[in-house]
Amino acid sequence: MVYTTSSPSQIGRHSVEVVIVPDATAGGELIAEAIAALLRRKPDALLGVATGSTPLPIYRALASKVASGAVDASRARICQLDEYVGLPAGHPESYRSVVLREVIEPLGLSEASFMGPDGSAEDVQAACEAYDRALAEAGGVDLQLLGIGTDGHIGFNEPCSSLASRTRIKTLTEQTRVDNARFFDDDIEQVPHHVITQGIGTILDARHPILLATGEGKAEAVAQTVEGPVASIVPASALQMHPHATVVVDEAAASKLKLADYFRATYAAKPEWQGL
């Protein structure tokens, strides 16, 4: 496939394109090829990355392409979606450390190619505003990877977040802290109470947001995101307002889509030149 963000690629697009793939590995390969095609066209593209288990197949597939010489990622720039507040620099579970391990190092990049919010800043609000400015000054995010929570959140924009929100500090729900305790020796007391997250408005500034969802547990959130109304109770539904947003789902995550057959048919008939 040829990936492009020039105006012809927008012809006939839906507000959210839904691509149904057999499994997580296929989804990772599809998105990695879209990233690779973007880097061939724009070698210094700014790629927004997400943490967690869902995007790992993307990073593995992309690293494999780099290792084989199928794509040169040496000039790529990487930016962070969110970060814990208050963890000391270099903490192994800071999202900066996670991105360095899972993305920067496997792609053979240096830490100089990476930008993220300062979760250890004394003035967290100022750090949030500085990060929004830094993204704009870098030319904007070319492709932003996203996961989705079972409640429809993206980044740490929990239900009822403002759809116009910018990078800001958010308080983690108790359930999120319980879920994340597994990364902190199962000790919830070690899990920070606050995070910095790109706001929904900041995410929508990206030229191409791509959301990957896998597993039956995400099926209801996916259906609400792409087939339900745009509403702050399902933050990811804001992607419907973007002119070029893509949602890639495996069969399990697609299981509650009423228009699944339509999505399959439109993707099967998609012109090769249009790309993902």
Side-chain angles (χ1 to χ4, degrees):
M1 282 188 178
V2 177
Y3 174 90
T4 176
T5 55
S6 60
S7 56
S9 71
Q10 306 305 317
I11 298 172
R13 285 201 184 278
H14 313 294
S15 58
V16 176
E17 179 181 34
V18 179
V19 182
I20 302 172
V21 295
D23 52 36
T25 299
E29 178 62 35
L30 179 69
I31 296 171
E33 179 52 37
I35 295 171
L38 170 61
L39 290 173
R40 294 181 191 115
R41 182 181 66 83
K42 185 178 181 180
D44 65 344
L46 181 57
L47 307 176
V49 297
T51 54
S53 58
T54 299
L56 292 179
I58 304 171
Y59 305 144
R60 286 194 290 265
L62 185 59
S64 178
K65 292 178 184 298
V66 170
S68 70
V71 64
D72 179 4
S74 63
R75 294 172 56 194
R77 297 170 295 154
I78 306 296
C79 65
Q80 207 169 332
L81 182 61
D82 39 39
E83 181 58 278
Y84 285 118
V85 170
L87 290 185
H91 190 288
E93 294 308 323
S94 72
Y95 287 139
R96 184 181 188 91
S97 294
V98 172
V99 171
L100 289 174
R101 288 196 304 270
E102 296 178 352
V103 183
I104 300 295
E105 293 174 6
L107 294 183
L109 302 176
S110 71
E111 196 167 347
S113 67
F114 176 61
M115 56 191 298
D118 184 359
S120 60
E122 284 191 23
D123 188 337
V124 178
Q125 182 56 41
C128 294
E129 294 168 3
Y131 188 51
D132 246 26
R133 287 195 304 272
L135 292 175
E137 290 167 0
V141 179
D142 291 293
L143 188 152
Q144 176 64 58
L145 298 176
L146 300 166
I148 187 171
T150 55
D151 58 3
H153 75 256
I154 49 176
F156 277 106
N157 297 287
E158 301 285 359
C160 291
S161 291
S162 165
L163 301 186
S165 55
R166 310 302 301 179
T167 299
R168 67 208 193 284
I169 186 171
K170 291 288 288 183
T171 302
L172 294 179
T173 64
E174 189 68 10
Q175 186 59 55
T176 297
R177 293 183 70 236
V178 168
D179 291 344
N180 288 3
R182 67 187 189 277
F183 300 116
F184 293 84
D185 300 321
D186 290 319
D187 181 4
I188 192 172
E189 295 305 316
Q190 295 186 44
V191 182
H193 286 270
H194 299 94
V195 292
I196 292 174
T197 184
Q198 285 189 32
I200 296 172
T202 307
I203 290 169
L204 293 180
D205 282 346
R207 295 179 182 89
H208 188 186
I210 301 181
L211 187 153
L212 176 63
T214 57
E216 189 175 359
K218 302 295 179 70
E220 182 62 32
V222 167
Q224 291 296 320
T225 292
V226 301
E227 295 179 341
V230 176
S232 63
I233 193 68
V234 183
S237 67
L239 293 173
Q240 293 182 38
M241 301 188 295
H242 197 284
H244 184 195
T246 304
V247 174
V248 178
V249 292
D250 67 0
E251 291 289 349
S255 60
K256 294 190 178 181
L257 288 172
K258 297 177 182 177
L259 298 177
D261 288 342
Y262 171 71
F263 294 137
R264 290 188 181 94
T266 54
Y267 186 69
K270 188 175 182 177
E272 185 75 14
W273 54 263
Q274 199 175 43
L276 186 62

